[in-house]
Amino acid sequence: MKTKFKKFSSDHENVWHLFNQMSDGLMITDYQQNIIAVNPSFENITGYSFEEIVYKKPNVFLSPEKATHLNFKEMWKNIHSRGTWTGELETKRKNGEAFTSNITVTSIQKQQVEESLYFIIVKDISSRKKVETEITRLANFDELTQLPNRTQFKKIINEAIHQAKKNHNTFAVLFLDLDHFKKINDSLGHQIGDELLQQIAKRLQNVIGANGTVSRFGGDEFTILLSPLKNKKEAYESAKKIIASLQQPIVCAGEKIYMNTSIGCSFFPEHGTDYTTILKNADSALFQAKKAGRNQYQEYNDSINEGLIEQLQIERDLRTALAEQQFEVYYQLQMDIETGKPYGIEALIRWNHPERGNLPPFIFLPAAEETGLIAEIDDWVLQTACAQTKKWHEDGHEDLVLSVNISKKQFDRPDFVKRVKQTLRETGLNPKQLCLEITESMAITHIDEAVDKLKKLKSIGVQLSLDDFGTGYSSLSQLKNLPIDTLKIDKSFMQGSGDEQENHVLVKLIIAMAKTLNFAVICEGVETEEQLLLLRTEGCNHAQGYLFSEPLAPSNCELKMKHITENVNII
Ligand code: C2E
Ligand code: CA
Ligand code: CA
């Protein structure tokens, strides 16, 4: 210990020795806070030699610009009342480098005030601080994009709520999800997926700039706080700018990638005054934006949640529906226009919901598609309908052709053809008497793969029909290449949506075109005798609709077939 006081060095030799050995810095001041002694560790830590700071005040090594938050009054109060104070101080070394110290000041009061002393222990905790800062960074920021993460975003929103309440203003939260990101990740690999996310994070930050905070909420989800916000229009504008910016191709590892994004938006205080509600409602709006066709933004409104609750309920109930056999297949007759006899039947699913009664497909198929359960459902329908049709064949309706709707998910399964084969084998149905109904979009997207699959299906003998024809955009040249047997004219042409005259002209044209391509034609949604007459005149092969029969449960369908066969002149 170097000291100006002889007294110190001679008294209590062993104590001084101890001070010299301490790894913590020690400094002693007199009653006026003039430094009168320091140990070697103090010199090491601060870089000041004893000679340089003797008789100076301890604040030479305080970092005043960083210490403003410290309440010195409070510190002195503690020292005077309790004799000691411990706390963290921002300090600086002789070379100007700032570091954080843990300081303990102890006052040694003597009767003679002039003899009083202050013992100050200085612990350099900068490396611990660094670790702490790093831990905080890891806990609050996303490693990949360096954006605030979900935890940090929550803190940011809570602070925004606090400020908005205080200043009576508003802010917006955008919840953003990249459309089909998973597909990109799966097909191009995680490395490109990661790079893509980094580039997207940068774009988002460029668009938002100082008008808010972008955070990575997780996976391909980003959340954005727009604050301060003058009006809602500003938020809409930001959402539009984001969508436009992400629509520009992103180049990753030489690949040009096109991204679309959906955005849900909620406002404080209109859509919630706490973090959970604001986020939940932005997320609901996002869900709505995706359902409405993606690549767009939606603002939250109350009816979204009602619809969503129902949707979620349906999704949940769907999971047990298959296991508990709540589904049923109904059958709708398809008539041969020329002979007036039933030609076939279309299998149409119904859900006997335990509380809601008999539900039509439009209520639950979107949810089944969303959850992926549709493929399982389609499997079940195929199996059930094939078995039922086989029974009808054995009961004397041996020519009946069964049509089954195939969803895109089901069609895209790599083992789809195998599944169809297996079902035919298990039920004993003649493949020629099974017709699979696919839609234009399923056949046209990835047309080469689709044609390949369709050809495989043809090679096992099943028929193929193009459902809802006329609502898609396939060109004649594309149609020519599809190995299908039948075009099924969509019911909207019968339903009088649009000009009736025009619809009739279109029906005539479709039938004529189908004939030149050697496709058979069936028209659905036939409800009136006039419609049937038109179809017959134009040479349409088959017709389906309420004019003949609604979709019916198997026993009723059987009665209907019997009735019609016995009164063939009904047509
Ligand atoms: P879709 O394949 O176009 O089936 C024809 C729809 O038109 C059926 O509705 C049928 O009930 C209805 N329909 C029949 N005749 C008439 C008529 O004269 N007028 C009117 N306005 N409508 C008529 P449904 O049963 O509600 O089925 C709706 C859609 O759900 C089907 O349209 C099909 O795309 C899908 N779907 C039904 N069952 C299944 C299934 O097992 N699997 C899959 N993937 N989709 C199915
Ligand atoms: Ca159909
Ligand atoms: Ca249809």
Side-chain angles (χ1 to χ4, degrees):
M1 196 91 187
K2 293 179 182 165
T3 168
K4 285 284 161 197
F5 288 105
K6 284 263 157 19
K7 188 169 168 255
F8 280 153
S9 35
S10 54
D11 284 359
H12 310 298
E13 198 59 48
N14 49 347
V15 177
W16 289 120
H17 182 69
L18 191 73
F19 286 156
N20 278 337
Q21 300 297 307
M22 269 171 62
S23 59
D24 295 336
L26 172 67
M27 140 174 92
I28 302 171
T29 71
D30 64 14
Y31 76 108
Q32 287 176 320
Q33 295 155 44
N34 298 310
I35 298 172
I36 52 170
V38 298
N39 70 352
S41 287
F42 181 91
E43 292 179 312
N44 281 340
I45 292 171
T46 62
Y48 288 109
S49 66
F50 173 66
E51 290 71 24
E52 283 168 326
I53 52 168
V54 67
Y55 288 133
K56 295 213 166 117
K57 305 276 184 204
N59 59 10
V60 289
F61 88 115
L62 280 182
S63 199
E65 60 279 12
K66 290 201 170 185
T68 45
H69 66 279
L70 185 82
N71 188 342
F72 281 101
K73 250 194 197 158
E74 196 65 22
M75 179 179 104
W76 280 113
K77 217 171 103 189
N78 262 290
I79 295 170
H80 290 141
S81 62
R82 300 199 288 125
T84 182
W85 174 86
T86 300
E88 280 177 18
L89 284 182
E90 289 302 326
T91 40
K92 66 170 190 262
R93 304 186 215 278
K94 187 183 160 192
N95 64 10
E97 184 195 347
F99 70 106
T100 310
S101 296
N102 183 291
I103 306 266
T104 302
V105 185
T106 308
S107 83
I108 316 263
Q109 295 298 325
K110 294 277 163 79
Q111 220 132 39
Q112 290 286 333
V113 177
E114 294 76 31
E115 284 184 16
S116 296
L117 297 169
Y118 294 103
F119 272 57
I120 298 158
I121 296 172
V122 179
K123 252 193 219 314
D124 179 356
I125 55 166
S126 49
S127 50
R128 195 190 83 201
K129 272 278 147 183
K130 251 190 217 146
V131 173
E132 271 176 19
T133 314
E134 182 60 10
I135 289 171
T136 317
R137 196 185 64 76
L138 286 176
N140 293 304
F141 288 84
D142 170 49
E143 199 58 357
L144 183 69
T145 59
Q146 306 305 323
L147 293 176
N149 63 11
R150 183 190 293 225
T151 318
Q152 179 69 2
F153 190 69
K154 184 174 177 178
K155 290 181 205 155
I156 293 170
I157 293 290
N158 280 331
E159 177 57 27
I161 292 172
H162 178 71
Q163 291 300 330
K165 276 183 181 165
K166 207 168 79 186
N167 306 323
H168 303 287
N169 54 22
T170 177
F171 66 80
V173 169
L174 304 184
F175 209 126
L176 188 149
D177 177 301
L178 305 171
D179 295 341
H180 307 302
F181 176 75
K182 199 179 165 308
K183 265 193 209 148
I184 292 177
N185 221 15
D186 290 347
S187 57
L188 299 178
H190 286 266
Q191 214 174 334
I192 294 197
D194 283 356
E195 203 185 317
L196 192 63
L197 287 171
Q198 286 171 331
Q199 292 208 35
I200 286 168
K202 279 207 193 91
R203 282 199 189 178
L204 291 175
Q205 279 180 308
N206 283 344
V207 174
I208 299 303
N211 298 326
T213 312
V214 181
S215 94
R216 179 163 178 222
F217 202 68
D220 62 345
E221 291 176 335
F222 294 86
T223 41
I224 297 167
L225 163 73
L226 294 175
S227 174
L229 197 69
K230 277 200 226 82
N231 49 42
K232 282 185 165 187
K233 202 164 151 255
E234 266 187 10
Y236 305 149
E237 290 304 320
S238 294
K240 276 191 222 161
K241 273 192 211 150
I242 291 172
I243 291 173
S245 152
L246 294 188
Q247 261 175 340
Q248 300 303 316
I250 301 176
V251 181
C252 264
E255 298 261 3
K256 246 190 194 172
I257 300 170
Y258 290 88
M259 287 307 304
N260 283 333
T261 180
S262 306
I263 300 176
C265 175
S266 67
F267 292 94
F268 173 93
E270 188 183 343
H271 303 137
T273 51
D274 64 280
Y275 169 79
T276 310
T277 314
I278 296 169
L279 254 278
K280 191 187 84 199
N281 288 342
D283 191 23
S284 303
L286 167 65
F287 185 81
Q288 203 61 23
K290 280 198 230 167
K291 258 184 49 190
R294 300 174 181 268
N295 210 24
Q296 52 180 291
Y297 71 91
Q298 280 271 338
E299 180 184 344
Y300 173 78
N301 65 57
D302 284 339
S303 62
I304 286 183
N305 251 2
E306 282 161 26
L308 203 65
I309 288 166
E310 176 169 314
Q311 190 77 10
L312 289 175
Q313 189 100 33
I314 284 177
E315 275 184 27
R316 218 186 39 218
D317 293 354
L318 264 178
R319 292 177 202 281
T320 50
L322 260 179
E324 295 185 0
Q325 301 186 339
Q326 293 168 2
F327 291 119
E328 193 176 359
V329 181
Y330 273 38
Y331 299 87
Q332 187 176 31
L333 289 180
Q334 299 175 327
M335 309 301 287
D336 184 314
I337 294 182
E338 207 177 320
T339 65
K341 283 187 189 166
Y343 153 84
I345 39 172
E346 178 176 5
L348 293 160
I349 192 169
R350 297 291 178 268
W351 182 5
N352 292 314
H353 192 283
E355 283 132 38
R356 295 157 176 245
N358 195 319
L359 298 179
F362 80 90
I363 299 280
F364 61 90
L365 284 190
E369 265 160 33
E370 191 75 26
T371 53
L373 277 171
I374 186 74
E376 252 176 88
I377 293 175
D378 278 357
D379 258 353
W380 178 83
V381 171
L382 186 67
Q383 179 80 28
T384 310
C386 285
Q388 176 62 63
T389 308
K390 176 70 184 168
K391 229 161 102 208
W392 279 328
H393 287 166
E394 288 164 355
D395 287 350
H397 304 282
E398 59 276 352
D399 296 328
L400 220 48
V401 173
L402 165 69
S403 289
V404 179
N405 293 288
I406 301 298
S407 67
K408 178 162 168 46
K409 276 246 165 63
Q410 175 77 333
F411 184 72
D412 286 346
R413 277 176 156 183
D415 62 345
F416 175 56
V417 180
K418 215 171 92 193
R419 278 167 188 271
V420 175
K421 255 197 221 168
Q422 194 183 339
T423 309
L424 287 167
R425 205 177 322 117
E426 281 168 13
T427 56
L429 189 75
N430 179 354
K432 292 201 171 61
Q433 287 175 281
L434 173 64
C435 176
L436 300 179
E437 295 197 358
I438 58 158
T439 59
E440 277 177 271
S441 65
M442 280 156 65
I444 302 298
T445 18
H446 306 301
I447 190 161
D448 292 340
E449 280 168 47
V451 167
D452 212 44
K453 210 171 238 185
L454 295 173
K455 280 188 179 151
K456 282 198 185 117
L457 288 166
K458 288 254 45 142
S459 74
I460 59 173
V462 299
Q463 299 188 39
L464 299 169
S465 106
L466 207 55
D467 204 356
D468 304 337
F469 185 74
T471 55
Y473 300 97
S474 39
S475 68
L476 199 60
S477 59
Q478 284 174 317
L479 270 187
K480 243 180 9 202
N481 293 327
L482 293 178
I484 49 159
D485 304 277
T486 307
L487 281 191
K488 195 166 185 185
I489 300 179
D490 188 64
K491 56 180 174 296
S492 57
F493 291 93
M494 295 286 116
Q495 237 84 113
S497 57
D499 183 271
E500 194 179 355
Q501 213 54 30
E502 189 187 315
N503 278 339
H504 285 182
V505 172
L506 286 171
V507 168
K508 284 182 189 178
L509 278 175
I510 294 174
I511 296 173
M513 178 195 74
K515 281 187 174 167
T516 62
L517 294 173
N518 279 330
F519 295 145
V521 191
I522 179 167
C523 190
E524 62 181 13
V526 180
E527 294 180 359
T528 66
E529 292 288 351
E530 292 74 45
Q531 291 168 342
L532 179 61
L533 189 64
L534 167 82
L535 296 172
R536 183 184 285 136
T537 317
E538 296 307 317
C540 181
N541 309 85
H542 306 127
Q544 177 182 351
Y546 297 160
L547 177 63
F548 318 105
S549 159
E550 290 183 6
L552 298 168
S555 54
N556 289 337
C557 184
E558 215 168 295
L559 286 175
K560 192 82 182 181
M561 277 195 278
K562 200 160 163 264
H563 179 77
I564 290 181
T565 326
E566 284 165 7
N567 304 277
V568 167
N569 57 358
I570 199 167
I571 286 197

